[in-house]
Amino acid sequence: MKQGDALSPLLFYFALEYAIRRVQVSQDGLRLNGTHQLLAYADDVNILGGSVHTVEENAEALVVATKEIGLEVNADKTKYTIMSRDQNAGRNHSMKIDNSSIERVEEFKYLGTTLTNKILFRKKLRAD
């Protein structure tokens, strides 16, 4: 199949879905509502975890699963952040996936929403 073929996006989504399901079946991770938290929309994938170690393991498993089906994770576009009430959480940790260092960021944009490493709870004001 040639690049740009009408079936290319559909086949890509099937392949990525297969890889994500492989990771969710074989790896431990943060569970909400009984499922692992690997969020994917188009080619944007976010891995949530209770620890940096868990995220790193799941990311490595995703790299392995994608390689099995001929896809690659672009390490240059891969970033991570730590969201914790403890501002020093993970400060001394660096993440590597597939022998590539992954950049730690204070915030990132996902589906048009900026997420930061700060966990703030603000009471929403109601106009009555």
Side-chain angles (χ1 to χ4, degrees):
M1 178 177 303
K2 293 183 180 179
Q3 185 174 355
D5 189 284
L7 286 177
S8 293
L10 187 60
L11 290 176
F12 171 77
Y13 296 137
F14 284 146
L16 186 58
E17 177 74 15
Y18 171 82
I20 288 170
R21 287 183 186 269
R22 291 275 320 254
V23 172
Q24 289 182 332
V25 166
S26 65
Q27 294 299 111
D28 291 328
L30 181 67
R31 288 180 178 256
L32 300 174
N33 297 325
T35 61
H36 295 285
Q37 294 306 296
L38 220 125
L39 309 175
Y41 182 81
D43 63 347
D44 288 331
V45 178
N46 287 284
I47 301 170
L48 307 178
S51 70
V52 174
H53 180 72
T54 298
V55 171
E56 194 167 20
E57 280 183 346
N58 289 335
E60 193 66 49
L62 182 62
V63 167
V64 169
T66 56
K67 280 184 177 182
E68 287 176 3
I69 56 176
L71 298 177
E72 287 184 23
V73 173
N74 186 339
D76 293 334
K77 290 185 174 182
T78 304
K79 314 282 185 238
Y80 80 99
T81 191
I82 297 174
M83 295 178 182
S84 173
R85 288 186 183 98
D86 177 5
Q87 294 302 311
N88 293 318
R91 288 279 178 218
N92 297 324
H93 186 85
S94 62
M95 187 179 292
K96 282 191 162 203
I97 298 172
D98 200 29
N99 295 321
S100 297
S101 292
I102 304 302
E103 179 186 358
R104 181 176 176 171
V105 295
E106 301 297 315
E107 65 181 39
F108 66 98
K109 192 171 268 196
Y110 183 67
L111 301 180
T113 301
T114 301
L115 303 170
T116 70
N117 66 342
K118 308 276 190 270
I119 297 178
L120 300 173
F121 298 96
R122 292 189 178 149
K123 187 174 182 178
K124 186 175 181 180
L125 300 175
R126 290 179 36 189
D128 291 304

